[in-house]
Amino acid sequence: MPFDFSSFWTTLAVAIPTLAIAYIIFGIAGFGTAMIAAPVLAQVMPVASIVPMLALLDCLAAIINGVKLNEKIAKREMMWLVPLLVAGSIVGGTLLLIIPPRPMMLALGVFVIGYAIWSLASPSFRQTLNQLWVIPFGAIGGVFSAMFGSGGFIYAIYLSRRLEDKDAVRATVSVLIALAAFTRAVIFACAGLYTTLELPLMAMLLVPAMLIGLFAGHRITLRMSREQFVRVLSLVLIATGATLVVRALASG
């Protein structure tokens, strides 16, 4: 159900700074918009409207990131990850109809927090993951992208242990998020969620905030070493995992 148009400008006033901050994180890490913005936006608009709107903005932001960092995209990793993302998304959509999502969300949140804390506690550990790890990470990322609308952090964990160049991590994650967001946007469009004026108009008016956030995030990243990038990534992962845990417990 679309949000009340009478509160449109109040919603926009809250959404502009929220999305600007969320896309600073996206510009740095390549993911994290929904986890940061959704809890705030949920105070002023229905959750059913947030995900379709963010799908449009995430798709555009990921495309911009991908184009800007086109030469950094790890095409060899993409050859493995894209088919696994698609396969995982199909499995995730099926699981969503069969099993309750709460236990999986809680387990994933605990895992992500644990991994991020371990990564912060062992900054000198730089062992590269074997290519075979792409199978579980690629598939699980697709599963959780379909089930919870967010799988970018799974790919960020994998790619940060595969690629030395932080820009390659951001660029490759951005392409994967663009594919996932585009798929969700098409599904929402087919479901008729964009037929009313409010959501497309809100998304269009929030594009400047998204662009400002991306620009700021990109400028911050230029000043980071790879070690600093991994630490920031770990902090974003902790926030992401905590959000998943809270959502799981709240839905219990």
Side-chain angles (χ1 to χ4, degrees):
M1 180 182 299
F3 50 82
D4 183 4
F5 191 76
S6 63
S7 63
F8 181 85
W9 297 111
T10 300
T11 302
L12 188 64
V14 173
I16 287 175
T18 300
L19 267 294
I21 293 171
Y23 279 104
I24 290 176
I25 302 301
F26 186 98
I28 295 172
F31 69 95
T33 309
M35 297 299 179
I36 294 166
V40 178
L41 295 178
Q43 307 305 312
V44 293
M45 60 188 296
V47 175
S49 298
I50 296 172
V51 177
M53 184 186 74
L54 289 181
L56 294 174
L57 291 169
D58 275 356
C59 187
L60 179 58
I63 290 172
I64 291 172
N65 253 9
V67 170
K68 185 183 297 182
L69 300 169
N70 178 56
E71 294 182 357
K72 298 286 188 176
I73 295 171
K75 297 177 177 61
R76 181 181 174 83
E77 298 291 348
M78 288 290 298
M79 289 175 60
W80 287 88
L81 286 168
V82 171
L84 289 166
L85 183 155
V86 174
S89 296
I90 294 171
V91 173
T94 304
L95 290 177
L96 196 59
L97 303 175
I98 299 175
I99 64 174
R102 181 174 176 267
M104 296 185 68
M105 188 187 300
L106 182 60
L108 178 66
V110 171
F111 164 75
V112 170
I113 292 172
Y115 169 84
I117 291 174
W118 170 79
S119 184
L120 285 173
S122 56
S124 60
F125 183 80
R126 288 291 176 267
Q127 182 177 342
T128 302
L129 284 179
N130 187 283
Q131 178 75 67
L132 291 176
W133 280 99
V134 72
I135 298 174
F137 275 99
I140 291 171
V143 168
F144 283 97
S145 180
M147 293 188 73
F148 309 123
S150 180
F153 56 95
I154 298 292
Y155 301 120
I157 291 174
Y158 168 75
L159 291 169
S160 67
R161 293 298 180 183
R162 284 284 300 169
L163 306 173
E164 285 297 322
D165 188 341
K166 66 181 188 296
D167 289 336
V169 176
R170 294 167 56 226
T172 309
V173 171
S174 291
V175 174
L176 293 167
I177 287 180
L179 291 172
F182 177 75
T183 301
R184 290 199 299 274
V186 169
I187 293 171
F188 293 142
C190 292
L193 295 181
Y194 299 131
T195 55
T196 57
L197 174 66
E198 292 93 336
L199 276 181
L201 179 59
M202 177 68 77
M204 182 178 68
L205 292 175
L206 288 172
V207 168
M210 179 265 287
L211 293 174
I212 290 171
L214 283 182
F215 176 78
H218 180 66
R219 297 295 297 179
I220 292 170
T221 307
L222 289 176
R223 293 172 170 80
M224 284 183 179
S225 66
R226 188 184 188 282
E227 288 70 25
Q228 290 172 325
F229 173 76
V230 170
R231 285 198 292 270
V232 171
L233 181 63
S234 297
L235 292 174
V236 176
L237 287 172
I238 289 174
T240 299
T243 302
L244 288 171
V245 170
V246 170
R247 285 174 60 189
L249 295 176
S251 64

